[in-house]
Amino acid sequence: MSQSHNTPAQHCRGPFDLGTSRRAFLRTGLAGFATLSLPGILRLRAQQSVLAGESAKSSEKTAVIMVWQPGGLSHIDSYDPKPNAGSEYRGPFGIIPTKVPGLNFTELLPRQAAIADKFTVLRSMRQGAGGHPAGSMQLLSGDPDTRDKPKPRYPDWMTVTNYLRSQNGPRQSPIPPYVGINPPLEYNGPAYLGDAYSPFVVSGDPNQPSFTVPNIGLSDANEVRRLGRRSTLRQNLDTLERAFDQQGELAALDEFETQAMTLLTNPRTKEAFDLTREDPRVRDRYGRNAWGQQLLMARRLVEAGVEVMTTSLSGPLCGRVQNWDDHAVNHHVFDAMKFRAEAYDQAVTALIEDIYERGLDKRVMVVVTGEFGRTPKISYAASTGEGNASAPAGTMQPGRDHWPRAFSNIWAGGGIETGRFIGATDKRGEDSTERICNAGDFLATIYHHLGIDAARTLIKDFNGRPTPVVDHGKPIPELMG
């Protein structure tokens, strides 16, 4: 796999900010059906055939929570410190031991260090793309292309899982199977599978007293009846000749409409999203901030039946540019790491502890990652603006740039053996050197937990070609439950 060079800081937009640019709460709902054209409807499930593999027959109860760090976490300043590297590499943070002998973190992660026996650190991740779009697509869809593209060529693992599991028949749970809380959608998506398999999107800050998830669990009987009357698309389609429906697309529409109405009218859906039902002490434990409450909601939702759960740790808690893209033009990298560390450390620790304490650790896998790491060698540039974790414009400050050649992520639950670390990087953290894992391995591991044989499962693409869900990589043995 090619080793990508750094992306020049001055040309980097940084990851997409969902908090300011995506406000759609209901990706696939009753109102959506009313605006679809007939060709659009008939495309919703045009690629239904899983041509090989076992699909997801035995995996109905397994789930994954992916916690996304948009822009990429500095591995040097978190899970893979290099205290003996030169000052131009190592950063200013002290090193602390964890509960796992031989595994050290930086001082920014004391809570996670104290529960390191409950997760595994993968220190030898590598992928070949240095830009946010291509890096995200490589890691989440397996696209080997190193070029940044405006939209994905392949569906991400979240959409693939939702699609494959939908082939097993109607769901019994009223909760959507795939939910994203401020999810990573800018550089990923359903591609040739179609928007029908995109997530139910929850936007905003769930820590705010005014936070609500609209259009779920309606309790007003008159409103429910009104929504039923608005379902005119189905009524119109019922007048069509059923002989036209040779591939059963209208039956698929029946299911979509049923799911939408269930989401709108079943009170269980509202309960699952309602954080006020949690003990205030639990909410405090996660942190009374956006990230803490996002991860608490993620736990509530997988407990209620969600099978694919994604959430991005972005927004004001990241610093001035609201993501982890710590070029010197964006942030003072070390101030940014300190600025976000407490909320990050607390929320992730609470989620992992909760998964085990509530007996979810065999069924639910937690993965915390970004698209790549940050350059081991510190760079300097003038700030482009003053704000949290950034000095006034024109002030020289340190940063770290994109680095796909080596980075870390953490894994918990999923029945895996925890309390260890996998792989290693060189003395400066520049290259993965032991147990090197690539994007295909990352994806195959997640699919394995979800009961999907990535090596044998094919889906038809836009042109009707049987396409592997990922055509390279194998499940990482240490992360197989």
Side-chain angles (χ1 to χ4, degrees):
M1 185 171 290
S2 63
Q3 295 180 348
S4 181
H5 297 291
N6 303 339
T7 299
Q10 63 268 30
H11 298 307
C12 179
R13 290 192 302 120
F16 186 67
D17 178 16
L18 289 163
T20 58
S21 301
R22 286 187 183 270
R23 300 298 176 191
F25 286 88
L26 189 57
R27 297 278 302 195
T28 306
L30 190 61
F33 292 127
T35 61
L36 286 174
S37 65
L38 183 58
I41 294 164
L42 299 182
R43 281 196 300 269
L44 286 175
R45 292 208 172 174
Q47 291 82 33
Q48 289 201 9
S49 296
V50 179
L51 301 177
E54 292 301 313
S55 174
K57 293 179 181 178
S58 62
S59 56
E60 293 297 332
K61 294 183 180 179
T62 54
V64 172
I65 298 173
M66 185 180 72
V67 180
W68 187 249
Q69 302 152 329
L73 168 68
S74 168
H75 55 296
I76 300 294
D77 300 308
S78 55
Y79 300 109
D80 193 14
K82 301 295 180 181
N84 297 322
S87 59
E88 68 270 36
Y89 289 87
R90 66 173 178 262
F93 304 118
I95 309 303
I96 59 173
T98 72
K99 204 167 183 179
V100 176
L103 177 63
N104 298 323
F105 294 164
T106 71
E107 62 185 318
L108 299 178
L109 303 173
R111 290 183 175 91
Q112 291 182 42
I115 66 155
D117 58 324
K118 289 183 169 60
F119 59 86
T120 290
V121 180
L122 177 55
R123 281 179 161 174
S124 53
M125 277 297 302
R126 174 191 292 177
Q127 50 97 341
H132 297 295
S136 299
M137 292 174 196
Q138 280 213 3
L139 199 65
L140 300 185
S141 71
D143 187 345
D145 194 350
T146 61
R147 300 168 299 175
D148 289 337
K149 299 187 289 293
K151 60 182 180 179
R153 178 183 175 190
Y154 300 104
D156 56 43
W157 71 262
M158 302 87 80
T159 309
V160 168
T161 301
N162 193 20
Y163 168 79
L164 291 177
R165 290 190 167 187
S166 74
Q167 310 305 301
N168 294 331
R171 279 170 53 82
Q172 300 303 311
S173 172
I175 309 298
Y178 173 20
V179 176
I181 306 172
N182 300 320
L185 293 178
E186 172 65 354
Y187 306 129
N188 298 283
Y192 49 76
L193 290 181
D195 285 341
Y197 301 99
S198 294
F200 178 89
V201 175
V202 177
S203 300
D205 180 355
N207 188 54
Q208 293 298 317
S210 59
F211 175 80
T212 60
V213 181
N215 299 326
I216 62 170
L218 297 176
S219 57
D220 187 297
N222 291 328
E223 182 69 7
V224 171
R225 284 193 293 271
R226 186 179 67 83
L227 287 170
R229 289 194 297 269
R230 288 179 58 193
S231 184
T232 57
L233 180 58
R234 280 296 299 122
Q235 295 168 10
N236 291 336
L237 286 175
D238 279 339
T239 67
L240 296 176
E241 290 290 338
R242 288 287 168 168
F244 173 78
D245 185 29
Q246 296 180 358
Q247 301 300 321
E249 290 91 348
L250 297 184
L253 180 60
D254 291 338
E255 181 181 338
F256 283 120
E257 186 178 43
T258 298
Q259 290 175 357
M261 285 297 293
T262 298
L263 184 64
L264 289 164
T265 60
N266 193 303
R268 282 183 56 197
T269 60
K270 190 171 186 178
E271 292 175 9
F273 288 89
D274 187 359
L275 292 179
T276 66
R277 293 176 175 271
E278 286 287 341
D279 187 322
R281 292 170 296 181
V282 174
R283 299 192 69 179
D284 292 342
R285 180 181 174 188
Y286 275 80
R288 293 286 187 151
N289 53 62
W291 293 356
Q293 301 308 295
Q294 283 178 210
L295 297 198
L296 175 55
M297 182 178 291
R299 189 270 289 162
R300 283 184 62 82
L301 290 173
V302 295
E303 207 166 27
V306 171
E307 299 165 8
V308 177
M309 179 74 247
T310 61
T311 185
S312 291
L313 301 186
S314 57
L317 286 172
C318 269
R320 179 175 71 93
V321 300
Q322 302 198 22
N323 54 56
W324 299 67
D325 198 31
D326 291 335
H327 300 289
V329 295
N330 291 340
H331 289 146
H332 183 301
V333 59
F334 305 121
D335 287 352
M337 289 296 296
K338 287 188 290 186
F339 181 79
R340 64 178 72 108
E342 183 174 358
Y344 170 71
D345 192 32
Q346 180 177 1
V348 170
T349 298
L351 174 63
I352 292 173
E353 287 184 316
D354 224 4
I355 291 296
Y356 284 91
E357 291 173 5
R358 301 178 78 90
L360 299 171
D361 54 289
K362 298 294 190 296
R363 182 173 70 84
V364 179
M365 174 175 276
V366 176
V367 184
V368 183
T369 191
E371 63 267 40
F372 39 52
R374 311 300 300 184
T375 50
K377 189 171 184 178
I378 302 164
S379 60
Y380 291 86
S383 166
T384 55
E386 184 175 7
N388 288 328
S390 183
T395 305
M396 295 296 291
Q397 61 186 11
R400 296 192 191 271
D401 303 316
H402 302 179
W403 197 253
R405 286 161 43 179
F407 61 106
S408 299
N409 45 45
I410 65 172
W411 303 67
I416 68 173
E417 183 180 340
T418 58
R420 57 184 177 175
F421 52 97
I422 304 168
T425 57
D426 62 25
K427 63 182 181 180
R428 291 175 173 173
E430 292 179 316
D431 286 289
S432 299
T433 56
E434 298 176 16
R435 293 287 289 106
I436 298 171
C437 298
N438 60 33
D441 303 323
F442 175 89
L443 290 167
T445 302
I446 291 177
Y447 282 133
H448 172 81
H449 172 68
L450 293 166
I452 298 168
D453 185 346
R456 298 177 59 226
T457 303
L458 309 178
I459 302 173
K460 288 183 179 178
D461 66 10
F462 282 125
N463 298 313
R465 292 188 298 257
T467 304
V469 297
V470 59
D471 63 0
H472 58 286
K474 297 179 179 179
I476 300 166
E478 298 91 333
L479 298 175
M480 294 169 63

